[in-house]
Amino acid sequence: MQQVADEAGVSRTTVSFVLNNTPNVNISAATRARVWQAVANLNYARTFAARSLATGRSQTVAFILRQVPDELLVNGFLGGLLSGVTQAISADNYRLLFEAVGHDASAGAYTELVRTQRVDGLIISGPVVDDTELRDLHRESVPIVVNGKPDFEELYSVDVDNVASARTAVQHLIDLGHRRIAHITNGPLNYTASSDRLEGYRQALLNAGLPCEDRYIQINPTFTDQGGYEAMRHLLDLPERPTAVFAASDVVAFGAIRAIQEAGLHIPADISIVGFDDIPLASYLAPGLTTIHIPVVQLGVRAGEMLMQLIQGDPPVPHRVLLETRLVIRHSTAPLRES
Amino acid sequence: MQQVADEAGVSRTTVSFVLNNTPNVNISAATRARVWQAVANLNYARTFAARSLATGRSQTVAFILRQVPDELLVNGFLGGLLSGVTQAISADNYRLLFEAVGHDASAGAYTELVRTQRVDGLIISGPVVDDTELRDLHRESVPIVVNGKPDFEELYSVDVDNVASARTAVQHLIDLGHRRIAHITNGPLNYTASSDRLEGYRQALLNAGLPCEDRYIQINPTFTDQGGYEAMRHLLDLPERPTAVFAASDVVAFGAIRAIQEAGLHIPADISIVGFDDIPLASYLAPGLTTIHIPVVQLGVRAGEMLMQLIQGDPPVPHRVLLETRLVIRHSTAPLRES
DNA sequence: TTGAAAGCGCTAACAA
DNA sequence: TTGTTAGCGCTTTCAA
């Protein structure tokens, strides 16, 4: 930096002011030009650590993924999420530190990132179980945004409205004339995404004055396509088998589809099915899967924006943001056939 | 840090030595214990920027993805790659900075990360076009590892052997008795992944003494399933239509499958098809896609390991690592039916 | 075995 | 409009 100052014939302060475009400092255009020229000549770039030490800010946020490696592998949303977050924070010239941690109650290794001031804030993606360290951090006003459902209400969060989305999916089936509509959960009910979607299913049926029968509700404990397959097998064995199914995730829907096809039945002629997530490959399938589209990129963008606001000491309102989903109608659903 | 020193009744130097476990320094167990106790009492954590400034190392590597947001969205490999890299670098207590840049010749924004010493090394994933900045960086001995095919040979890289893998895929079809085997590229031929896979296809046919006919080779310019769909349509229109197809990516295979099914033909009874990539959802399909499995996680691990070696001044041998792929046989391929 | 002290490269308050 | 200077919090050499 001294070299740049020398080359430009000014002091280091001036160089710093020019480079930072510091407000409330009047520096002649000519001087600025000389400084920039010197910077260019010397191919100078300020040392990050020094700036960070002096300013007390790291210009970095951490993206914490609460997933084990195996889950990471099949996470079709990661790209969209990262893309969104990056987009949002790059406006303020922030960068993203990626960290994947498991589901352990206190996998708090990431709190170290904050304590050492390596990052200025945290985006946590995935279910947040009771984590005392996190609670402490939040109490100390560390900027934190959760992507999903936070464990305690005061946390800032962005999510989709699972209940309303599920209602939409089921309403679509009702609109097509279906009456015997089954539901396969996307996972165990202690996950809010699962229980909320089940709740939406219930609401849609009740609103339409349809009975909500337990035999048509399959709790899939696994999050996998295999779980969907087995659940569907049970449904197909029912005396009055459903004419439509709401599978609470696309992956589970895939499993269900396999079961249906193996049984010699056709989609959507014999059974309609709607999924949830709109994972990138949902459209590649034949028949293309009708499903609920989640705005993944937006999920990332909003989380990034909220975090930046928090970092800038400008708390976002409201605390919890729910993003709109939309029904994508492809070819796995059709009007009920009179039989 | 001074507080910790006071609390433990030692100097800051000693605290530093204990915390770093500095070698060649003998500190009594009792003293060490007191220091750690003080650290715990005060919930102390060293400021990252200060350490970084003093040591000249950032304990951070950048993961540069050469993809535009749209590609990122459907990147099924990202999770595996990140998982692998993270795994490899976490051993040395390194962290990962994620950055997505487009394909522009010199999208060199990321070189700033190096110049400012914000990161100690670079992993670049995706095609590297001629990038002068990158070349400069490499010449200055900045640790860089490319995931894929590097633009200039001297770069360290880890990749899969596309030629050999394609050969394996086609050999599988040959072994099943197929003679009229078509090929649909996964993208334009200026991408080495595409041209190398085509080359493997050729080699397999030649090795088997089969003719390699242009009419059975479809160059798909798009990387999309739609491209695969259209290419397959052309193949189906041929007077002697192929009995088997090697699609150079799973996504392209999906498109081809759609075309085949629309034509009223059955897989694998009428036409066998093998893909490439083994994207996470390849197995969800019915019929499950026979394909070439790419060890994504390992790709990340090796890249991470090589980078760490470079950072530690211990250049890995060899320069370029090719990882083994393997053929995953599912249900989209079957022996040739005598007709 | 421990301590003193000199940086690391920058920012920003203050002075000029 | 520009320069002086005191930190920011740590590492590490050298001396004790």
Side-chain angles (χ1 to χ4, degrees), chain B residues 215-270:
Chain B
R215 56 180 183 147
Y216 286 148
I217 299 176
Q218 289 286 325
I219 314 294
N220 156 28
T222 65
F223 285 114
T224 64
D225 62 318
Q226 189 59 27
Y229 175 83
E230 280 155 22
M232 194 65 224
R233 290 284 297 266
H234 287 297
L235 292 171
L236 290 173
D237 283 345
L238 256 29
E240 288 186 306
R241 67 155 196 259
T243 64
V245 179
F246 166 45
S249 83
D250 289 354
V251 166
V252 165
F254 292 158
I257 289 174
R258 206 171 70 228
I260 293 169
Q261 291 178 335
E262 275 184 16
L265 298 172
H266 292 279
I267 298 171
D270 300 310

Side-chain angles (χ1 to χ4, degrees), chain B residues 283-306:
Chain B
S283 60
Y284 293 157
L285 277 187
L289 185 66
T290 293
T291 190
I292 295 286
H293 177 81
I294 294 184
V296 223
V297 177
Q298 268 308 308
L299 230 40
V301 169
R302 294 294 286 125
E305 286 175 351
M306 287 173 74

Side-chain angles (χ1 to χ4, degrees), chain A:
Chain A
M1 189 156 178
Q2 186 62 61
Q3 290 184 33
V4 173
D6 292 347
E7 171 108 2
V10 298
S11 75
R12 285 162 50 211
T13 310
T14 305
V15 173
S16 178
F17 283 166
V18 171
L19 262 48
N20 288 331
N21 210 0
T22 312
N24 305 324
V25 169
N26 269 338
I27 297 181
S28 69
T31 307
R32 286 180 192 278
R34 280 211 315 286
V35 170
W36 283 115
Q37 185 59 53
V39 166
N41 290 347
L42 296 159
N43 193 15
Y44 168 79
R46 286 170 294 180
T47 305
F48 171 73
R51 295 194 66 189
S52 184
L53 179 57
T55 60
R57 261 166 298 108
S58 66
Q59 302 271 99
T60 310
V61 302
F63 182 88
I64 311 290
L65 235 202
R66 303 226 55 148
Q67 291 194 320
V68 296
D70 277 357
E71 293 169 328
L72 239 179
L73 215 53
V74 295
N75 184 335
F77 286 163
L78 189 55
L81 229 42
L82 287 178
S83 177
V85 174
T86 314
Q87 214 171 296
I89 66 175
S90 65
D92 298 286
N93 205 23
Y94 264 69
R95 290 256 160 63
L96 193 138
L97 204 65
F98 174 86
E99 181 104 13
V101 302
H103 297 289
D104 311 6
S106 206
Y110 59 85
T111 61
E112 188 205 310
L113 293 174
V114 175
R115 298 235 171 275
T116 59
Q117 297 167 58
R118 188 161 180 167
V119 300
D120 298 338
L122 249 34
I123 291 179
I124 302 181
S125 184
V128 172
V129 289
D130 189 58
D131 186 328
T132 28
E133 285 202 63
L134 191 63
R135 205 178 282 256
D136 291 346
L137 251 35
H138 178 255
R139 200 171 300 133
E140 294 165 29
S141 306
V142 174
I144 300 174
V145 174
V146 171
N147 216 297
K149 181 100 160 204
D151 179 50
F152 45 104
E153 296 247 325
E154 313 87 61
L155 277 181
Y156 292 85
S157 63
V158 27
D159 204 348
V160 292
D161 189 334
N162 284 301
V163 178
S165 305
R167 231 165 31 214
T168 305
V170 175
Q171 187 61 49
H172 169 61
L173 295 172
I174 294 173
D175 290 344
L176 288 171
H178 293 279
R179 291 297 171 265
R180 296 204 304 274
I181 301 171
H183 178 52
I184 306 175
T185 69
N186 64 317
L189 293 185
N190 53 331
Y191 284 81
T192 52
S194 301
S195 55
D196 282 358
R197 290 171 196 183
L198 170 57
E199 174 60 21
Y201 162 80
R202 286 214 167 96
Q203 289 183 8
L205 292 185
L206 294 182
N207 288 351
L210 294 172
C212 183
E213 303 176 59
D214 279 351
R215 56 180 182 148
Y216 285 147
I217 298 175
Q218 288 286 326
I219 313 294
N220 157 27
T222 66
F223 285 113
T224 64
D225 61 318
Q226 189 58 29
Y229 176 84
E230 280 154 22
M232 194 67 225
R233 290 283 299 266
H234 286 298
L235 291 171
L236 290 173
D237 283 345
L238 254 30
E240 287 185 307
R241 69 156 193 257
T243 64
V245 179
F246 166 46
S249 83
D250 289 352
V251 166
V252 165
F254 292 156
I257 289 175
R258 205 171 72 229
I260 293 170
Q261 291 178 335
E262 275 184 18
L265 298 172
H266 293 279
I267 297 171
D270 298 311
I271 296 189
S272 284
I273 181 162
V274 34
F276 200 116
D277 283 348
D278 195 23
I279 59 177
L281 297 187
S283 61
Y284 294 156
L285 278 187
L289 185 65
T290 293
T291 190
I292 294 286
H293 177 81
I294 293 183
V296 223
V297 177
Q298 268 309 309
L299 229 40
V301 169
R302 294 293 287 127
E305 287 174 351
M306 286 173 75
L307 187 61
M308 290 313 302
Q309 289 185 287
L310 280 168
I311 288 175
Q312 271 137 24
D314 169 24
V317 178
H319 251 192
R320 178 163 170 79
V321 171
L322 289 185
L323 262 39
E324 297 286 321
T325 57
R326 71 168 201 278
L327 179 69
V328 180
I329 301 179
R330 298 208 180 90
H331 309 290
S332 68
T333 49
L336 178 64
R337 256 193 339 190
E338 304 305 328
S339 49

Side-chain angles (χ1 to χ4, degrees), chain B:
Chain B
M1 189 158 178
Q2 186 62 60
Q3 290 185 33
V4 173
D6 292 347
E7 171 108 2
V10 298
S11 74
R12 284 161 50 210
T13 310
T14 305
V15 174
S16 178
F17 284 166
V18 171
L19 261 47
N20 289 330
N21 210 1
T22 312
N24 306 323
V25 169
N26 269 337
I27 297 180
S28 67
T31 306
R32 285 180 191 280
R34 278 211 317 285
V35 170
W36 282 116
Q37 186 59 53
V39 166
N41 290 347
L42 296 159
N43 193 16
Y44 167 78
R46 286 170 294 179
T47 306
F48 172 72
R51 294 194 67 189
S52 184
L53 179 59
T55 60
R57 262 167 297 106
S58 67
Q59 303 271 102
T60 310
V61 301
F63 182 87
I64 312 291
L65 235 203
R66 302 226 56 149
Q67 291 194 320
V68 295
D70 276 358
E71 294 169 328
L72 239 179
L73 216 53
V74 295
N75 185 334
F77 286 164
L78 189 55
L81 229 42
L82 287 179
S83 177
V85 174
T86 314
Q87 213 172 299
I89 67 175
S90 65
D92 298 285
N93 206 24
Y94 264 68
R95 291 257 159 66
L96 193 137
L97 205 64
F98 174 86
E99 181 103 13
V101 301
H103 296 291
D104 310 6
S106 207
Y110 59 84
T111 61
E112 187 205 311
L113 293 174
V114 175
R115 298 235 173 274
T116 58
Q117 297 166 60
R118 188 161 180 168
V119 301
D120 297 339
L122 248 34
I123 291 179
I124 302 182
S125 184
V128 172
V129 288
D130 189 58
D131 186 329
T132 29
E133 284 202 65
L134 191 62
R135 205 178 281 258
D136 291 346
L137 250 35
H138 178 254
R139 200 171 301 134
E140 294 164 29
S141 305
V142 173
I144 301 175
V145 175
V146 171
N147 218 297
K149 182 100 159 206
D151 179 50
F152 45 104
E153 295 247 325
E154 313 87 61
L155 278 181
Y156 292 86
S157 64
V158 27
D159 204 348
V160 293
D161 189 334
N162 284 300
V163 179
S165 304
R167 231 164 32 215
T168 305
V170 175
Q171 187 61 49
H172 169 61
L173 295 172
I174 294 172
D175 290 345
L176 289 172
H178 294 278
R179 291 297 171 264
R180 297 205 302 275
I181 301 172
H183 177 50
I184 304 175
T185 69
N186 63 318
L189 293 184
N190 54 329
Y191 284 82
T192 52
S194 301
S195 56
D196 282 358
R197 289 171 197 182
L198 170 57
E199 173 60 21
Y201 163 80
R202 286 214 167 96
Q203 289 183 7
L205 292 185
L206 294 182
N207 288 351
L210 294 173
C212 183
E213 303 176 60
D214 279 351
R215 56 180 183 147
Y216 286 148
I217 299 176
Q218 289 286 325
I219 314 294
N220 156 28
T222 65
F223 285 114
T224 64
D225 62 318
Q226 189 59 27
Y229 175 83
E230 280 155 22
M232 194 65 224
R233 290 284 297 266
H234 287 297
L235 292 171
L236 290 173
D237 283 345
L238 256 29
E240 288 186 306
R241 67 155 196 259
T243 64
V245 179
F246 166 45
S249 83
D250 289 354
V251 166
V252 165
F254 292 158
I257 289 174
R258 206 171 70 228
I260 293 169
Q261 291 178 335
E262 275 184 16
L265 298 172
H266 292 279
I267 298 171
D270 300 310
I271 296 189
S272 283
I273 182 162
V274 34
F276 200 116
D277 283 349
D278 196 22
I279 58 178
L281 298 187
S283 60
Y284 293 157
L285 277 187
L289 185 66
T290 293
T291 190
I292 295 286
H293 177 81
I294 294 184
V296 223
V297 177
Q298 268 308 308
L299 230 40
V301 169
R302 294 294 286 125
E305 286 175 351
M306 287 173 74
L307 188 61
M308 289 315 300
Q309 288 185 287
L310 280 169
I311 288 175
Q312 270 136 25
D314 170 23
V317 178
H319 249 75
R320 178 163 169 79
V321 172
L322 289 184
L323 261 39
E324 297 285 322
T325 57
R326 70 168 203 281
L327 179 70
V328 180
I329 300 179
R330 298 210 178 88
H331 309 290
S332 68
T333 50
L336 178 64
R337 254 192 341 189
E338 306 304 330
S339 49

